[in-house]
Amino acid sequence: EGLYANHQGKKNIDAYHVSVIIYRNAVKQIQSKEEIIGILTNKRADEMKELSEMTLDELWQLFPIVLSEYNPEWSVWYKEEKANLLALLGDRIQQIDHIGSTSVPGLLAKPTVDILLQVSPAAAAEHLKKLLKSGGWGIMQENGLFLDLQKGYMPGGLAKRVFHLHVKPTGDYDELYFRDYIAAHPDTAAEYAALKRELSVPYKHNRDGYTEAKTDFICSIVNKARAMKKLL
């Protein structure tokens, strides 16, 4: 059974046939032919585990911390995915924002577009999850209307476009304070970029550790940003 069921166990299949098989079985998660190529360059499909079958260490090895210089295409990716989400969820969306380092022009970042999507507290969580899954989103964590989802994490590695979607009930969230402060203060943005470069070496294969090591810096900036807002 599986991807090679129609090939009677044959393992040395040319790239064209592999791409066709992968496309047919994973079309909801693959967004372009380039993403299929990205999968093929890492590992033969018959050797791949499903992400749900991998240990945390295996996932960290497969998806290391890799930083990139700012890419203006990230803004384009966000706008296109925003349009997809609006078409998928309609008036269930109260507010949608591009957040994280890819939302700040000029900032060093992991090439993953983070989206904050706020919904009405009265929204039906199960129906919302069903709609998002139908749009190709995979759930990473969930707690009621607090959902973390992804697009672009494949058994063979990252796709060309990678997204994290953070769904929350409407509120006053730190992510927006941090984004706006960093964008308005180039010196702080440079300090943050230097911190990320430094941490990306020891935590290359430890995403939790990388995130935790940035927490004090991020919290200090959020506190400054909130204090500034109170003074306005």
Side-chain angles (χ1 to χ4, degrees):
E1 298 296 324
L3 293 179
Y4 295 127
N6 295 327
H7 295 269
Q8 299 178 342
K10 183 178 179 182
K11 294 184 177 180
N12 295 319
I13 303 172
D14 60 59
Y16 171 77
H17 287 99
V18 174
S19 66
V20 170
I21 296 165
I22 292 176
Y23 178 81
R24 288 174 177 171
N25 286 274
V27 66
K28 288 186 178 180
Q29 293 188 33
I30 296 174
Q31 300 149 37
S32 67
K33 292 180 180 178
E34 290 80 6
E35 293 179 356
I36 296 173
I37 294 171
I39 295 172
L40 295 173
T41 57
N42 286 281
K43 209 172 186 182
R44 288 210 317 263
D46 61 339
E47 297 175 341
M48 295 179 191
K49 288 183 179 181
E50 292 298 324
L51 296 181
S52 60
E53 299 172 343
M54 295 182 187
T55 66
L56 188 58
D57 185 63
E58 287 175 327
L59 289 169
W60 282 343
Q61 293 297 320
L62 185 59
F63 305 120
I65 299 296
V66 177
L67 300 174
S68 301
E69 297 299 327
Y70 179 75
N71 181 354
E73 284 295 305
W74 293 336
S75 177
V76 177
W77 298 356
Y78 163 70
K79 291 174 182 176
E80 291 178 355
E81 197 58 43
K82 175 183 177 180
N84 292 337
L85 287 164
L86 288 169
L88 183 66
L89 301 178
D91 59 8
R92 295 175 182 84
I93 297 175
Q94 300 294 303
Q95 183 173 332
I96 185 168
D97 293 279
H98 188 183
I99 59 170
S101 294
T102 61
S103 68
V104 180
L107 184 59
L108 185 78
K110 298 192 303 297
T112 299
V113 173
D114 284 276
I115 301 172
L116 174 62
L117 191 156
Q118 298 184 54
V119 298
S120 167
E126 290 302 317
H127 186 56
L128 190 64
K129 287 192 297 182
K130 183 177 180 180
L131 288 172
L132 288 167
K133 286 180 179 179
S134 75
W137 290 96
I139 296 176
M140 297 188 292
Q141 295 184 47
E142 58 179 294
N143 181 14
L145 281 177
F146 290 88
L147 305 171
D148 287 324
L149 306 99
Q150 60 79 19
K151 268 188 180 180
Y153 285 78
M154 304 294 185
L158 294 174
K160 181 180 178 181
R161 297 187 183 191
V162 183
F163 300 89
H164 286 170
L165 179 63
H166 311 274
V167 178
K168 301 182 180 185
T170 50
D172 188 31
Y173 293 109
D174 289 349
E175 292 91 338
L176 298 175
Y177 286 92
F178 184 76
R179 178 199 66 186
D180 293 347
Y181 189 97
I182 289 288
H185 296 82
D187 290 346
T188 304
E191 186 180 354
Y192 185 46
L195 174 64
K196 291 197 289 184
R197 280 196 183 93
E198 179 184 348
L199 296 175
S200 67
V201 178
Y203 293 110
K204 182 175 182 179
H205 296 291
N206 184 346
R207 285 182 169 243
D208 288 349
Y210 176 78
T211 300
E212 180 64 26
K214 296 187 299 176
T215 298
D216 287 347
F217 180 89
I218 292 172
C219 287
S220 70
I221 298 305
V222 169
N223 290 338
K224 287 181 183 179
R226 286 187 176 275
M228 288 175 60
K229 183 178 180 180
K230 290 180 180 178
L231 295 174
L232 295 178

